[in-house]
Amino acid sequence: MASGGGTILSLPESFFLICINNEDHSVKKKLGGLFDFGLSAAVLSEMLLKDYISLVDKLAVTFDDKKTGEDLYDFFLEKIHAEKKIHSLKYWIKKASKKRKFIQNEVTAGLEGKNIIEPIGKKEYIIKNTAIVQNIYKNIRITAQKSTSIDERSVILLSLAKSCKLLKDILGSDEKQELKEDIKDIIKTDFFSNKLFEILQELEELED
């Protein structure tokens, strides 16, 4: 996903950035376990978009263990390929969420390398390139408004933002309410994004 100035961001990177609280610089504490699930879902979504894994009858499958050259994805690719039993996407999102610290370390290292964030503590980050985050917000708004042709990557990020209750911060209360039905329709029209939304809802209910 290109986000201003030609910078390419992965779904995990984009998701992480919209989870940073502008006031206290922390990853939004109110998300609770949703952050872990959302971040792991973003990783698996990126793997799907890059054809590292496939979704067959709701099952996440890989056909070989060829290295991608990206440590984050190679870690989970190896795990999925090594399993004797083929598991559902929901299973892998839940399992990957247990590795949230590893995922976060890989994602933040990538964002630091792109000079987008700077750590100021163990769990706080300053966004150095606010234009990139504003562009992510803009892309989510454009997707929600259906004002242009919509690509699957943008719909997935919209689905993640809705699932993790981030749309109020991105759109504002009034626009979020105004676009409520449109957003539902957009997500429903994309099989994977809709499946992702359903899975994250189910996992949230298990946490309650």
Side-chain angles (χ1 to χ4, degrees), residues 6-33:
T7 302
I8 305 299
L9 296 178
S10 66
L11 279 169
E13 288 173 333
S14 294
F15 177 76
F16 187 83
L17 287 172
I18 63 175
C19 286
I20 296 177
N21 189 310
N22 290 326
E23 295 179 359
D24 64 11
H25 307 295
S26 67
V27 175
K28 293 173 180 173
K29 297 172 183 176
K30 65 182 180 182
L31 295 180

PDB file of all heavy atoms in Angstrom, residues 6-33:
ATOM      1  N   GLY A   6       5.342   7.814  -2.131  1.00  0.00           N
ATOM      2  CA  GLY A   6       5.753   6.552  -2.724  1.00  0.00           C
ATOM      3  C   GLY A   6       6.167   5.494  -1.722  1.00  0.00           C
ATOM      4  O   GLY A   6       6.610   4.416  -2.097  1.00  0.00           O
ATOM      5  N   THR A   7       6.046   5.786  -0.421  1.00  0.00           N
ATOM      6  CA  THR A   7       6.404   4.809   0.609  1.00  0.00           C
ATOM      7  C   THR A   7       5.421   3.645   0.577  1.00  0.00           C
ATOM      8  O   THR A   7       4.211   3.849   0.605  1.00  0.00           O
ATOM      9  CB  THR A   7       6.377   5.461   2.007  1.00  0.00           C
ATOM     10  OG1 THR A   7       7.282   6.567   2.017  1.00  0.00           O
ATOM     11  CG2 THR A   7       6.792   4.460   3.075  1.00  0.00           C
ATOM     12  N   ILE A   8       5.954   2.435   0.507  1.00  0.00           N
ATOM     13  CA  ILE A   8       5.117   1.240   0.471  1.00  0.00           C
ATOM     14  C   ILE A   8       4.969   0.673   1.871  1.00  0.00           C
ATOM     15  O   ILE A   8       5.969   0.392   2.547  1.00  0.00           O
ATOM     16  CB  ILE A   8       5.712   0.169  -0.470  1.00  0.00           C
ATOM     17  CG1 ILE A   8       5.939   0.749  -1.870  1.00  0.00           C
ATOM     18  CG2 ILE A   8       4.803  -1.051  -0.518  1.00  0.00           C
ATOM     19  CD1 ILE A   8       4.685   1.237  -2.567  1.00  0.00           C
ATOM     20  N   LEU A   9       3.737   0.517   2.303  1.00  0.00           N
ATOM     21  CA  LEU A   9       3.457  -0.046   3.617  1.00  0.00           C
ATOM     22  C   LEU A   9       2.703  -1.357   3.473  1.00  0.00           C
ATOM     23  O   LEU A   9       1.828  -1.494   2.616  1.00  0.00           O
ATOM     24  CB  LEU A   9       2.608   0.922   4.447  1.00  0.00           C
ATOM     25  CG  LEU A   9       3.229   2.276   4.808  1.00  0.00           C
ATOM     26  CD1 LEU A   9       2.223   3.108   5.593  1.00  0.00           C
ATOM     27  CD2 LEU A   9       4.507   2.102   5.606  1.00  0.00           C
ATOM     28  N   SER A  10       3.041  -2.301   4.333  1.00  0.00           N
ATOM     29  CA  SER A  10       2.297  -3.558   4.385  1.00  0.00           C
ATOM     30  C   SER A  10       1.037  -3.343   5.204  1.00  0.00           C
ATOM     31  O   SER A  10       0.889  -2.324   5.896  1.00  0.00           O
ATOM     32  CB  SER A  10       3.159  -4.646   5.034  1.00  0.00           C
ATOM     33  OG  SER A  10       3.394  -4.326   6.403  1.00  0.00           O
ATOM     34  N   LEU A  11       0.137  -4.307   5.171  1.00  0.00           N
ATOM     35  CA  LEU A  11      -1.066  -4.216   6.008  1.00  0.00           C
ATOM     36  C   LEU A  11      -0.730  -4.167   7.496  1.00  0.00           C
ATOM     37  O   LEU A  11      -1.318  -3.359   8.226  1.00  0.00           O
ATOM     38  CB  LEU A  11      -2.002  -5.390   5.702  1.00  0.00           C
ATOM     39  CG  LEU A  11      -2.878  -5.223   4.458  1.00  0.00           C
ATOM     40  CD1 LEU A  11      -3.561  -6.543   4.103  1.00  0.00           C
ATOM     41  CD2 LEU A  11      -3.923  -4.131   4.661  1.00  0.00           C
ATOM     42  N   PRO A  12       0.212  -5.001   7.983  1.00  0.00           N
ATOM     43  CA  PRO A  12       0.565  -4.896   9.409  1.00  0.00           C
ATOM     44  C   PRO A  12       1.108  -3.515   9.773  1.00  0.00           C
ATOM     45  O   PRO A  12       0.808  -2.991  10.846  1.00  0.00           O
ATOM     46  CB  PRO A  12       1.631  -5.988   9.595  1.00  0.00           C
ATOM     47  CG  PRO A  12       1.355  -6.973   8.524  1.00  0.00           C
ATOM     48  CD  PRO A  12       0.871  -6.164   7.363  1.00  0.00           C
ATOM     49  N   GLU A  13       1.892  -2.919   8.884  1.00  0.00           N
ATOM     50  CA  GLU A  13       2.438  -1.585   9.156  1.00  0.00           C
ATOM     51  C   GLU A  13       1.329  -0.539   9.176  1.00  0.00           C
ATOM     52  O   GLU A  13       1.277   0.311  10.076  1.00  0.00           O
ATOM     53  CB  GLU A  13       3.491  -1.230   8.110  1.00  0.00           C
ATOM     54  CG  GLU A  13       4.782  -2.022   8.263  1.00  0.00           C
ATOM     55  CD  GLU A  13       5.752  -1.791   7.128  1.00  0.00           C
ATOM     56  OE1 GLU A  13       5.306  -1.458   5.999  1.00  0.00           O
ATOM     57  OE2 GLU A  13       6.969  -1.951   7.348  1.00  0.00           O
ATOM     58  N   SER A  14       0.434  -0.583   8.200  1.00  0.00           N
ATOM     59  CA  SER A  14      -0.681   0.375   8.146  1.00  0.00           C
ATOM     60  C   SER A  14      -1.578   0.225   9.366  1.00  0.00           C
ATOM     61  O   SER A  14      -1.996   1.222   9.980  1.00  0.00           O
ATOM     62  CB  SER A  14      -1.500   0.173   6.866  1.00  0.00           C
ATOM     63  OG  SER A  14      -0.736   0.485   5.715  1.00  0.00           O
ATOM     64  N   PHE A  15      -1.883  -1.028   9.712  1.00  0.00           N
ATOM     65  CA  PHE A  15      -2.747  -1.274  10.871  1.00  0.00           C
ATOM     66  C   PHE A  15      -2.092  -0.762  12.145  1.00  0.00           C
ATOM     67  O   PHE A  15      -2.745  -0.114  12.977  1.00  0.00           O
ATOM     68  CB  PHE A  15      -3.052  -2.771  11.000  1.00  0.00           C
ATOM     69  CG  PHE A  15      -3.887  -3.105  12.210  1.00  0.00           C
ATOM     70  CD1 PHE A  15      -5.252  -2.841  12.230  1.00  0.00           C
ATOM     71  CD2 PHE A  15      -3.313  -3.676  13.337  1.00  0.00           C
ATOM     72  CE1 PHE A  15      -6.020  -3.127  13.357  1.00  0.00           C
ATOM     73  CE2 PHE A  15      -4.069  -3.967  14.458  1.00  0.00           C
ATOM     74  CZ  PHE A  15      -5.433  -3.692  14.472  1.00  0.00           C
ATOM     75  N   PHE A  16      -0.808  -1.022  12.312  1.00  0.00           N
ATOM     76  CA  PHE A  16      -0.113  -0.576  13.519  1.00  0.00           C
ATOM     77  C   PHE A  16      -0.151   0.948  13.636  1.00  0.00           C
ATOM     78  O   PHE A  16      -0.390   1.484  14.719  1.00  0.00           O
ATOM     79  CB  PHE A  16       1.339  -1.063  13.519  1.00  0.00           C
ATOM     80  CG  PHE A  16       2.069  -0.779  14.798  1.00  0.00           C
ATOM     81  CD1 PHE A  16       1.929  -1.629  15.885  1.00  0.00           C
ATOM     82  CD2 PHE A  16       2.877   0.336  14.926  1.00  0.00           C
ATOM     83  CE1 PHE A  16       2.583  -1.360  17.087  1.00  0.00           C
ATOM     84  CE2 PHE A  16       3.538   0.611  16.117  1.00  0.00           C
ATOM     85  CZ  PHE A  16       3.396  -0.239  17.197  1.00  0.00           C
ATOM     86  N   LEU A  17       0.050   1.633  12.533  1.00  0.00           N
ATOM     87  CA  LEU A  17       0.070   3.100  12.564  1.00  0.00           C
ATOM     88  C   LEU A  17      -1.271   3.693  12.982  1.00  0.00           C
ATOM     89  O   LEU A  17      -1.319   4.680  13.728  1.00  0.00           O
ATOM     90  CB  LEU A  17       0.483   3.647  11.195  1.00  0.00           C
ATOM     91  CG  LEU A  17       1.968   3.492  10.837  1.00  0.00           C
ATOM     92  CD1 LEU A  17       2.216   3.897   9.398  1.00  0.00           C
ATOM     93  CD2 LEU A  17       2.847   4.317  11.781  1.00  0.00           C
ATOM     94  N   ILE A  18      -2.372   3.102  12.521  1.00  0.00           N
ATOM     95  CA  ILE A  18      -3.689   3.659  12.896  1.00  0.00           C
ATOM     96  C   ILE A  18      -4.082   3.268  14.320  1.00  0.00           C
ATOM     97  O   ILE A  18      -5.099   3.741  14.829  1.00  0.00           O
ATOM     98  CB  ILE A  18      -4.802   3.270  11.900  1.00  0.00           C
ATOM     99  CG1 ILE A  18      -5.030   1.763  11.872  1.00  0.00           C
ATOM    100  CG2 ILE A  18      -4.492   3.811  10.508  1.00  0.00           C
ATOM    101  CD1 ILE A  18      -6.211   1.331  10.979  1.00  0.00           C
ATOM    102  N   CYS A  19      -3.258   2.437  14.943  1.00  0.00           N
ATOM    103  CA  CYS A  19      -3.516   2.048  16.338  1.00  0.00           C
ATOM    104  C   CYS A  19      -2.736   2.913  17.332  1.00  0.00           C
ATOM    105  O   CYS A  19      -2.943   2.791  18.538  1.00  0.00           O
ATOM    106  CB  CYS A  19      -3.136   0.582  16.565  1.00  0.00           C
ATOM    107  SG  CYS A  19      -4.285  -0.595  15.835  1.00  0.00           S
ATOM    108  N   ILE A  20      -1.853   3.780  16.845  1.00  0.00           N
ATOM    109  CA  ILE A  20      -1.075   4.629  17.744  1.00  0.00           C
ATOM    110  C   ILE A  20      -1.911   5.820  18.187  1.00  0.00           C
ATOM    111  O   ILE A  20      -2.491   6.528  17.365  1.00  0.00           O
ATOM    112  CB  ILE A  20       0.230   5.113  17.074  1.00  0.00           C
ATOM    113  CG1 ILE A  20       1.154   3.920  16.777  1.00  0.00           C
ATOM    114  CG2 ILE A  20       0.957   6.122  17.966  1.00  0.00           C
ATOM    115  CD1 ILE A  20       2.434   4.293  16.058  1.00  0.00           C
ATOM    116  N   ASN A  21      -1.980   6.024  19.489  1.00  0.00           N
ATOM    117  CA  ASN A  21      -2.724   7.136  20.067  1.00  0.00           C
ATOM    118  C   ASN A  21      -1.906   8.415  19.935  1.00  0.00           C
ATOM    119  O   ASN A  21      -0.774   8.484  20.411  1.00  0.00           O
ATOM    120  CB  ASN A  21      -3.023   6.845  21.541  1.00  0.00           C
ATOM    121  CG  ASN A  21      -3.988   7.846  22.148  1.00  0.00           C
ATOM    122  OD1 ASN A  21      -3.807   9.051  22.034  1.00  0.00           O
ATOM    123  ND2 ASN A  21      -5.014   7.332  22.817  1.00  0.00           N
ATOM    124  N   ASN A  22      -2.474   9.418  19.278  1.00  0.00           N
ATOM    125  CA  ASN A  22      -1.752  10.670  19.045  1.00  0.00           C
ATOM    126  C   ASN A  22      -1.479  11.450  20.321  1.00  0.00           C
ATOM    127  O   ASN A  22      -0.580  12.286  20.359  1.00  0.00           O
ATOM    128  CB  ASN A  22      -2.536  11.557  18.069  1.00  0.00           C
ATOM    129  CG  ASN A  22      -2.527  10.994  16.657  1.00  0.00           C
ATOM    130  OD1 ASN A  22      -1.548  10.396  16.238  1.00  0.00           O
ATOM    131  ND2 ASN A  22      -3.626  11.177  15.943  1.00  0.00           N
ATOM    132  N   GLU A  23      -2.265  11.179  21.376  1.00  0.00           N
ATOM    133  CA  GLU A  23      -2.124  11.958  22.600  1.00  0.00           C
ATOM    134  C   GLU A  23      -1.037  11.414  23.520  1.00  0.00           C
ATOM    135  O   GLU A  23      -0.170  12.158  23.978  1.00  0.00           O
ATOM    136  CB  GLU A  23      -3.467  12.022  23.335  1.00  0.00           C
ATOM    137  CG  GLU A  23      -4.539  12.778  22.548  1.00  0.00           C
ATOM    138  CD  GLU A  23      -5.862  12.822  23.272  1.00  0.00           C
ATOM    139  OE1 GLU A  23      -5.966  12.253  24.385  1.00  0.00           O
ATOM    140  OE2 GLU A  23      -6.808  13.434  22.736  1.00  0.00           O
ATOM    141  N   ASP A  24      -1.080  10.118  23.809  1.00  0.00           N
ATOM    142  CA  ASP A  24      -0.073   9.577  24.730  1.00  0.00           C
ATOM    143  C   ASP A  24       0.967   8.704  24.013  1.00  0.00           C
ATOM    144  O   ASP A  24       1.849   8.128  24.643  1.00  0.00           O
ATOM    145  CB  ASP A  24      -0.727   8.785  25.869  1.00  0.00           C
ATOM    146  CG  ASP A  24      -1.478   7.543  25.395  1.00  0.00           C
ATOM    147  OD1 ASP A  24      -1.341   7.155  24.212  1.00  0.00           O
ATOM    148  OD2 ASP A  24      -2.200   6.958  26.214  1.00  0.00           O
ATOM    149  N   HIS A  25       0.852   8.604  22.684  1.00  0.00           N
ATOM    150  CA  HIS A  25       1.833   7.902  21.839  1.00  0.00           C
ATOM    151  C   HIS A  25       1.882   6.390  22.061  1.00  0.00           C
ATOM    152  O   HIS A  25       2.783   5.718  21.569  1.00  0.00           O
ATOM    153  CB  HIS A  25       3.249   8.486  22.036  1.00  0.00           C
ATOM    154  CG  HIS A  25       3.304   9.976  21.850  1.00  0.00           C
ATOM    155  ND1 HIS A  25       3.055  10.577  20.639  1.00  0.00           N
ATOM    156  CD2 HIS A  25       3.561  10.986  22.741  1.00  0.00           C
ATOM    157  CE1 HIS A  25       3.171  11.895  20.775  1.00  0.00           C
ATOM    158  NE2 HIS A  25       3.458  12.167  22.036  1.00  0.00           N
ATOM    159  N   SER A  26       0.904   5.870  22.781  1.00  0.00           N
ATOM    160  CA  SER A  26       0.865   4.430  23.011  1.00  0.00           C
ATOM    161  C   SER A  26       0.000   3.765  21.944  1.00  0.00           C
ATOM    162  O   SER A  26      -0.785   4.423  21.267  1.00  0.00           O
ATOM    163  CB  SER A  26       0.277   4.122  24.390  1.00  0.00           C
ATOM    164  OG  SER A  26      -1.089   4.479  24.430  1.00  0.00           O
ATOM    165  N   VAL A  27       0.174   2.457  21.805  1.00  0.00           N
ATOM    166  CA  VAL A  27      -0.771   1.706  20.990  1.00  0.00           C
ATOM    167  C   VAL A  27      -2.068   1.693  21.781  1.00  0.00           C
ATOM    168  O   VAL A  27      -2.071   1.453  22.981  1.00  0.00           O
ATOM    169  CB  VAL A  27      -0.266   0.268  20.747  1.00  0.00           C
ATOM    170  CG1 VAL A  27      -1.322  -0.543  20.013  1.00  0.00           C
ATOM    171  CG2 VAL A  27       1.022   0.295  19.945  1.00  0.00           C
ATOM    172  N   LYS A  28      -3.166   2.014  21.150  1.00  0.00           N
ATOM    173  CA  LYS A  28      -4.426   2.283  21.831  1.00  0.00           C
ATOM    174  C   LYS A  28      -4.826   1.187  22.823  1.00  0.00           C
ATOM    175  O   LYS A  28      -5.167   0.080  22.433  1.00  0.00           O
ATOM    176  CB  LYS A  28      -5.522   2.528  20.797  1.00  0.00           C
ATOM    177  CG  LYS A  28      -5.264   3.822  20.024  1.00  0.00           C
ATOM    178  CD  LYS A  28      -6.207   4.041  18.871  1.00  0.00           C
ATOM    179  CE  LYS A  28      -5.866   5.351  18.162  1.00  0.00           C
ATOM    180  NZ  LYS A  28      -6.615   5.561  16.937  1.00  0.00           N
ATOM    181  N   LYS A  29      -4.741   1.538  24.088  1.00  0.00           N
ATOM    182  CA  LYS A  29      -4.967   0.573  25.154  1.00  0.00           C
ATOM    183  C   LYS A  29      -6.395   0.045  25.167  1.00  0.00           C
ATOM    184  O   LYS A  29      -6.646  -1.075  25.590  1.00  0.00           O
ATOM    185  CB  LYS A  29      -4.634   1.225  26.505  1.00  0.00           C
ATOM    186  CG  LYS A  29      -3.164   1.631  26.626  1.00  0.00           C
ATOM    187  CD  LYS A  29      -2.912   2.439  27.889  1.00  0.00           C
ATOM    188  CE  LYS A  29      -1.464   2.903  27.960  1.00  0.00           C
ATOM    189  NZ  LYS A  29      -1.214   3.776  29.120  1.00  0.00           N
ATOM    190  N   LYS A  30      -7.329   0.872  24.706  1.00  0.00           N
ATOM    191  CA  LYS A  30      -8.735   0.481  24.756  1.00  0.00           C
ATOM    192  C   LYS A  30      -9.035  -0.717  23.862  1.00  0.00           C
ATOM    193  O   LYS A  30     -10.068  -1.365  24.008  1.00  0.00           O
ATOM    194  CB  LYS A  30      -9.629   1.652  24.366  1.00  0.00           C
ATOM    195  CG  LYS A  30      -9.476   2.122  22.927  1.00  0.00           C
ATOM    196  CD  LYS A  30     -10.361   3.312  22.643  1.00  0.00           C
ATOM    197  CE  LYS A  30     -10.225   3.792  21.208  1.00  0.00           C
ATOM    198  NZ  LYS A  30     -11.045   4.979  20.930  1.00  0.00           N
ATOM    199  N   LEU A  31      -8.132  -1.020  22.931  1.00  0.00           N
ATOM    200  CA  LEU A  31      -8.363  -2.149  22.030  1.00  0.00           C
ATOM    201  C   LEU A  31      -8.264  -3.484  22.755  1.00  0.00           C
ATOM    202  O   LEU A  31      -8.884  -4.459  22.363  1.00  0.00           O
ATOM    203  CB  LEU A  31      -7.355  -2.126  20.876  1.00  0.00           C
ATOM    204  CG  LEU A  31      -7.435  -0.961  19.893  1.00  0.00           C
ATOM    205  CD1 LEU A  31      -6.377  -1.116  18.824  1.00  0.00           C
ATOM    206  CD2 LEU A  31      -8.812  -0.874  19.259  1.00  0.00           C
ATOM    207  N   GLY A  32      -7.444  -3.533  23.809  1.00  0.00           N
ATOM    208  CA  GLY A  32      -7.272  -4.791  24.549  1.00  0.00           C
ATOM    209  C   GLY A  32      -6.788  -5.908  23.636  1.00  0.00           C
ATOM    210  O   GLY A  32      -5.897  -5.734  22.802  1.00  0.00           O
ATOM    211  N   GLY A  33      -7.423  -7.072  23.768  1.00  0.00           N
ATOM    212  CA  GLY A  33      -7.044  -8.232  22.965  1.00  0.00           C
ATOM    213  C   GLY A  33      -7.322  -8.058  21.479  1.00  0.00           C
ATOM    214  O   GLY A  33      -6.740  -8.770  20.651  1.00  0.00           O
TER     215      GLY A  33
END
